[in-house]
Amino acid sequence: QPQIQAASEKTYTIDTDVTFPPFVYANTENKYVGIDLDLLRAIAKEEGFKVKIRPVGFNAAVQSVSAGQADGMIAGMSITEERKQKFDFSDPYYSAGIVMAVKDGSGIKSLSELKGKKVAVKTGTAGADYANSIKDKYGFEIVTFDDSDGVYNDVLNGNSDACFEDSAVMYYAIKNGLDLKVVTKPANTTETGFAVKKGQNQELLKMFNEGLAKLKANGEYDKIIKKYTEGKATSETKVKSQTATAEDRTVLGILKENKDAFISGIIETLKLTVVGIFCATIFGIFVGLLGVVPNKFCRGLSTTIIYIFRGLPLIVLALFIYNGVPSLIGSKVPAFLAGMITLMLNEGAYTAAFVKGGIESVDKGQMEAARSLGLPFGKAMRRVILPQGIKIMVPSFINQFIITLKDTSILSVIGLLELTQTGKIIIARNLEGFRVWAIVAVIYLVIITVLTLLSKWIERRINN
Ligand SMILES: NC(=O)CC[C@H](N)C(=O)O
């Protein structure tokens, strides 16, 4: 009995794409809902397991599930032959084809008019595959975005001439006021399913299928589908942008409405920054010192570490640690830990470089004089060289702290819900790109100002 109890309480991490109404999105109450999540929650209840939903985006979800970082994903995901190599899919719960949409009033009416034009798609989706498969035939260029709102906006802005999107999603968005028009019939219709990594989490897949069958039998399935596809929207099913008239669209209104999201985004950013700065500083000082000790191996090691981690783009390092390393070591790397290690290695390499440089810039005669007075190397370093070197390094430290803060934004690619990712998700809902990014920018500036003042204060104390 207790064993069953424990098993039934198991929580699974499920990644999703919240820019995909009516399948997954945030409603007016900021709750993640939609056909997929309602089904998943009903199934979880039926089968006795818990789910933790992470709004990471479609492509990020595909990667985190393949890397074993999440237990499964549900995001209106098409069951394709290619994906079956990497994923095990549940029984289908919906189906969708791909349609092309253009700006209302644009002259384009068919695929054959796309020659020399730009088509926006979402990274890693069936729509993107479809676009790739016909781009040479019709002679268009592809532009990719991480979420559906980015795709729609690019067409609305006129940067792209058309976009490809799942039919149900496109119709739903247009019904809810998006100023685009569907001009083709659904193509490549595929079924939609819940996915786990191939060969993994089979018990979860089995429970999903059993639960789905039960919901289909007892009418709950139909109810959920109807709720999102027919009839009048309720406050529960409304997409944020649907309430445009009722909602306060001023900067203050947006701030008030999303207060909690912004606050938790800020906290996550601050946590990452503080932990990142701390680890990078220790790591950097250590590697920097290694670079000046009188030992060839240590100096070589220091140079190599600096060379590698200063040379790698932060985003590549983050994706490598989060999505690459788990398949190597066979266990999960939590997103926060992955983010922290990324910052430690990258910012630490820069720190090491200026620590080394700072020490080297202290006049050589200082060390010689200290040594000839009989001080051993370590002591001469600590008492004579470092105090002078640190003064030289302080401005670089402050600079690096600020860069670390800004670089935390890049960690949004591994789904960390820090300030930038928070901004993306809010925009996914209210489509107020300009205002939300302005708010996010101001918040960063405020934090940077505080950080700078704090650093300046420390600098003064060190110099006195
Ligand atoms: N969330 C999505 O964008 C899914 C798009 C599409 N159905 C796919 O599986 O690729």
Side-chain angles (χ1 to χ4, degrees):
Q1 190 67 29
Q3 240 173 0
I4 294 170
Q5 187 77 21
S8 72
E9 276 170 10
K10 185 157 181 194
T11 301
Y12 293 96
T13 303
I14 309 296
D15 282 0
T16 191
D17 165 17
V18 294
T19 65
F20 215 52
F23 296 104
V24 203
Y25 62 97
N27 67 7
T28 28
E29 284 138 35
N30 261 332
K31 244 192 93 191
Y32 299 135
V33 295
I35 294 173
D36 288 19
L37 294 184
D38 280 21
L39 280 177
L40 180 65
R41 289 197 184 106
I43 290 170
K45 204 167 150 205
E46 193 74 50
E47 300 292 311
F49 63 91
K50 291 207 178 92
V51 288
K52 183 174 162 230
I53 305 293
R54 299 195 307 182
V56 297
F58 188 77
N59 189 40
V62 168
Q63 294 197 39
S64 57
V65 175
S66 334
Q69 290 279 46
D71 298 308
M73 68 178 286
I74 190 159
M77 185 179 190
S78 311
I79 306 176
T80 62
E81 282 311 312
E82 201 189 352
R83 285 182 185 155
K84 279 189 194 160
Q85 316 286 317
K86 288 245 164 92
F87 297 94
D88 287 325
F89 283 98
S90 70
D91 296 333
Y93 59 82
Y94 211 80
S95 76
I98 291 153
V99 292
M100 167 173 141
V102 297
K103 203 165 155 176
D104 209 5
S106 121
I108 301 174
K109 281 185 227 67
S110 66
L111 292 171
S112 49
E113 283 159 72
L114 288 179
K115 199 167 173 58
K117 305 264 189 244
K118 283 192 185 140
V119 172
V121 296
K122 178 156 58 172
T123 320
T125 60
D129 285 348
Y130 176 65
N132 264 309
S133 71
I134 59 171
K135 75 166 197 286
D136 291 336
K137 181 168 169 206
Y138 294 105
F140 58 82
E141 200 186 305
I142 296 176
V143 194
T144 54
F145 294 88
D146 280 345
D147 45 54
S148 289
D149 307 287
V151 171
Y152 308 154
N153 260 322
D154 213 50
V155 182
L156 288 175
N157 290 338
N159 289 331
S160 287
D161 304 280
C163 64
F164 291 153
E165 175 68 287
D166 285 17
S167 46
V169 174
M170 204 67 239
Y171 294 136
Y172 192 85
I174 291 172
K175 201 173 99 191
N176 288 313
L178 183 70
D179 225 1
L180 297 183
K181 199 173 74 188
V182 173
V183 291
T184 59
K185 291 222 163 57
N188 280 11
T189 300
T190 353
E191 304 196 284
T192 308
F194 167 75
V196 296
K197 185 181 178 183
K198 201 169 179 61
Q200 307 283 311
N201 284 306
Q202 298 296 311
E203 78 294 343
L204 175 61
L205 197 60
K206 200 164 149 252
M207 286 191 285
F208 189 95
N209 283 336
E210 281 170 8
L212 182 63
K214 281 185 208 161
L215 297 184
K216 279 189 173 161
N218 69 14
E220 183 74 10
Y221 171 85
D222 287 329
K223 241 197 238 159
I224 291 175
I225 301 285
K226 276 216 186 93
K227 179 165 139 195
Y228 289 100
T229 53
E230 287 172 19
K232 267 187 84 181
T234 62
S235 80
E236 197 195 340
T237 61
K238 264 188 214 159
V239 188
K240 202 72 161 187
S241 52
Q242 272 177 268
T243 56
T245 40
E247 198 183 327
D248 189 350
R249 288 299 179 117
T250 60
V251 166
L252 265 184
I254 294 174
L255 265 177
K256 230 165 72 196
E257 187 99 23
N258 300 289
K259 195 177 87 220
D260 296 342
F262 277 125
I263 289 178
S264 70
I266 293 172
I267 291 176
E268 189 73 4
T269 289
L270 286 178
K271 259 178 25 197
L272 276 168
T273 308
V274 171
V275 177
I277 287 177
F278 181 78
C279 296
T281 302
I282 295 195
F283 179 71
I285 291 177
F286 176 73
V287 176
L289 288 176
L290 266 191
V292 295
V293 297
N295 175 309
K296 259 214 175 104
F297 174 77
C298 291
R299 284 207 303 270
L301 185 65
S302 167
T303 313
T304 313
I305 293 176
I306 295 175
Y307 172 75
I308 293 176
F309 294 110
R310 205 169 53 166
L312 279 179
L314 193 66
I315 193 164
V316 173
L317 189 60
L319 290 171
F320 176 74
I321 294 174
Y322 188 66
N323 289 324
V325 170
S327 26
L328 192 77
I329 60 174
S331 81
K332 295 186 194 186
V333 181
F336 191 87
L337 182 67
M340 201 190 82
I341 296 175
T342 306
L343 291 177
M344 179 183 95
L345 294 175
N346 179 279
E347 316 292 341
Y350 281 96
T351 305
F354 68 69
V355 165
K356 202 172 119 184
I359 294 172
E360 280 165 352
S361 70
V362 175
D363 188 49
K364 273 209 167 60
Q366 298 280 328
M367 178 56 100
E368 282 158 16
R371 296 302 297 273
S372 64
L373 285 175
L375 287 181
F377 178 83
K379 205 163 194 179
M381 194 51 127
R382 252 178 297 134
R383 291 283 170 79
V384 182
I385 309 298
L386 277 184
Q388 302 179 60
I390 285 172
K391 283 208 171 125
I392 303 170
M393 294 169 210
V394 167
S396 307
F397 268 114
I398 295 179
N399 200 26
Q400 200 57 42
F401 294 165
I402 291 170
I403 292 174
T404 307
L405 166 66
K406 291 194 288 186
D407 281 353
T408 57
S409 63
I410 293 174
L411 300 175
S412 59
V413 296
I414 57 172
L416 277 170
L417 258 178
E418 42 65 69
L419 193 52
T420 302
Q421 180 77 352
T422 305
K424 280 191 205 169
I425 291 175
I426 294 175
I427 293 170
R429 212 163 45 215
N430 66 10
L431 298 175
E432 290 286 348
F434 176 74
R435 290 189 183 142
V436 175
W437 286 128
I439 292 172
V440 169
V442 170
I443 297 178
Y444 273 116
L445 283 179
V446 169
I447 304 177
I448 283 171
T449 309
V450 174
L451 190 66
T452 312
L453 289 176
L454 197 75
S455 310
K456 286 269 148 71
W457 179 76
I458 296 174
E459 182 179 8
R460 271 200 308 276
R461 301 214 40 174
I462 289 178
N463 284 340
N464 289 334

